[in-house]
Amino acid sequence: MNPTFLGFAVLLCSLAHSIAGQTHSELEGQFALTGGTIYTSPSESPIANGVVVIRDGKIAAVGRSGSVLIPSGLATLDCSGLTVTAGFWNSHVHFFERKWADAENISALELAGQLQAMLTRYGFTSVFDLGSPWENTRWIRERIESGEIPGPRIRSTGEALIGEGWLPPEKVLSALGFMLFPMPEVVDADGALTASKKLLDSGSDGLKLFAAAPAPPFPILPDEVIRTAVDEAHRRNKPVFAHPTNPDGLLAAVKGGVDIIAHTTPQSGPWDEAIIVAMLEAKVALIPTLKIWQYQLRHDRASLGDLSARTSTGQLRAWTASGGEVLFGTDVGGMDDYDPSDEYALMAKAGMTFPQILASLTTTPAEKFGESGQVGRITPGLAGDLVVLNGDPLHDVRALADVRYTFRNGKLIYQASL
Ligand SMILES: [Zn+2]
């Protein structure tokens, strides 16, 4: 049996017996985590020997052991020696590897195993998909939301807007393991309006556009195209993400009013003061995606990878030193190595502290996407989205990837095998 299937089968079986002898149905939405170190938010000191009470899928109480009443008969899970945080966001993922095709008909076991391998085993309870066949991605979301399979809260831009002829050849996409699907090619304001309306009318949660072509000579989308797409999305209070490719694309996106820059640009050299100031004035957020540059250069000389890492971490360092907003994101799906450990380590190398990295995973995306009243912190009234870590990421940031349990809406959606 595929280890992923086996892992999920074990999860399904063990959920019924794992927590203090309670059955799965008794645990759903009603339990308490005890004894762990709790980071309620990035800006608050951790609670040692803390308690989180979950009732009806929501956080009912949090505090130091002894100060929080645990209702008698409530199931408890001992988290002594473990760390508890709010559920994580990955704000740059893709559901376009061939494994996701025909999502309506993938077996529940296999689909759940795939979601676990890419996302929930790393604590991601909310994700933003930045480009995939929208009808297909919507099936994944519906099967999760119906309760059929465990998985994260999915937001998606649907297919990305792209310039004419910018999509890589089909044989390249096939070799990368991606589905072949049309993306709306936009060349003028009329085309941008039509494509944006179609996506947003069909329920996409935002728009993604390639501000510059991904291949030489890197033509830029016309200003009117970017501005039209942005205006249509903002009219509906939806965010716009841009793939920058290079500083010219980045500045075109910023000038056009996009909300989120979806990558650093390591091929371009350092970002100068003018770029940083333009980004700050436009109040964009940055998704660094540092690991994928190393992944893409894995067959090249180490010195090239080192140069790329120095450049991209330097860009992130300049951005965070200026007070810029960061959203955690890895571009998984575009990369089949799903482990976020290296991303955390590279963010730390760029000078980000553990609270800053935790903010990029929790409070910053919740605020950016208008969901801070539902998720992002461990505070009464918010959803029971929790991650339980084996170590303390304050001492080693890679511990953020070493997940023991993931809960969404107070339901256990991932448990590490011990
Ligand atoms: Zn991407």
Side-chain angles (χ1 to χ4, degrees), residues 154-239:
I154 294 176
R155 300 282 176 266
S156 177
T157 62
E159 294 85 351
L161 309 185
I162 194 164
E164 194 170 21
W166 291 8
L167 202 60
E170 288 195 348
K171 64 182 178 186
V172 172
L173 296 170
S174 282
L176 288 168
F178 301 157
M179 286 184 258
L180 301 177
F181 60 98
M183 287 161 68
E185 297 186 337
V186 288
V187 296
D188 56 23
D190 283 351
L193 185 60
T194 303
S196 302
K197 279 186 167 171
K198 189 176 173 201
L199 280 160
L200 294 161
D201 286 349
S202 65
S204 80
D205 302 294
L207 295 175
K208 153 86 170 285
L209 52 84
F210 281 78
F218 308 117
I220 309 288
L221 271 190
D223 288 350
E224 61 169 7
V225 167
I226 300 176
R227 176 51 69 186
T228 301
V230 165
D231 286 349
E232 188 58 26
H234 286 179
R235 204 169 62 75
R236 308 178 193 218
N237 293 317
K238 299 284 172 69

Side-chain angles (χ1 to χ4, degrees), residues 264-305:
T264 44
T265 64
Q267 301 91 336
S268 69
W271 285 345
D272 61 22
E273 184 70 14
I275 292 175
I276 298 288
V277 167
M279 291 169 70
L280 285 173
E281 285 180 351
K283 296 188 168 56
V284 294
L286 172 69
I287 305 174
T289 69
L290 303 173
K291 174 179 173 172
I292 197 167
W293 311 130
Q294 306 304 295
Y295 173 85
Q296 289 178 344
L297 291 169
R298 66 196 182 284
H299 303 302
D300 291 270
R301 286 193 294 281
S303 54
L304 271 182

Side-chain angles (χ1 to χ4, degrees), residues 209 211 220 226 230 241-244 247-261 282 284:
L209 52 84
I220 309 288
I226 300 176
V230 165
F241 299 77
H243 178 105
D248 289 342
L250 192 157
L251 288 171
V254 164
K255 191 175 149 199
V258 307
D259 306 286
I260 296 129
I261 302 297
V284 294

Side-chain angles (χ1 to χ4, degrees), residues 43-179:
S43 58
E44 287 166 80
S45 300
I47 301 170
N49 190 14
V51 172
V52 185
V53 177
I54 301 291
R55 301 306 302 257
D56 301 326
K58 294 193 169 187
I59 298 161
V62 59
R64 195 174 290 275
S65 179
S67 73
V68 173
L69 179 69
I70 301 177
S72 64
L74 194 67
T76 59
L77 173 62
D78 182 9
C79 292
S80 301
L82 307 178
T83 301
V84 185
T85 74
F88 298 156
W89 284 76
N90 190 327
S91 300
H92 190 154
V93 310
H94 293 280
F95 294 102
F96 59 31
E97 287 178 278
R98 284 194 294 274
K99 65 176 68 170
W100 305 106
D102 194 21
E104 183 183 1
N105 295 308
I106 303 174
S107 77
L109 195 63
E110 191 164 20
L111 184 56
Q114 291 177 187
L115 289 163
Q116 177 177 309
M118 188 163 95
L119 300 166
T120 57
R121 66 160 292 187
Y122 297 114
F124 297 111
T125 51
S126 299
V127 301
F128 221 123
D129 163 81
L130 303 190
S132 63
W134 170 225
E135 287 301 321
N136 192 67
T137 302
R138 188 151 61 183
W139 269 113
I140 304 172
R141 174 159 83 185
E142 286 180 7
R143 292 183 67 183
I144 294 169
E145 296 310 314
S146 72
E148 182 193 358
I149 51 171
R153 192 175 282 106
I154 294 176
R155 300 282 176 266
S156 177
T157 62
E159 294 85 351
L161 309 185
I162 194 164
E164 194 170 21
W166 291 8
L167 202 60
E170 288 195 348
K171 64 182 178 186
V172 172
L173 296 170
S174 282
L176 288 168
F178 301 157
M179 286 184 258

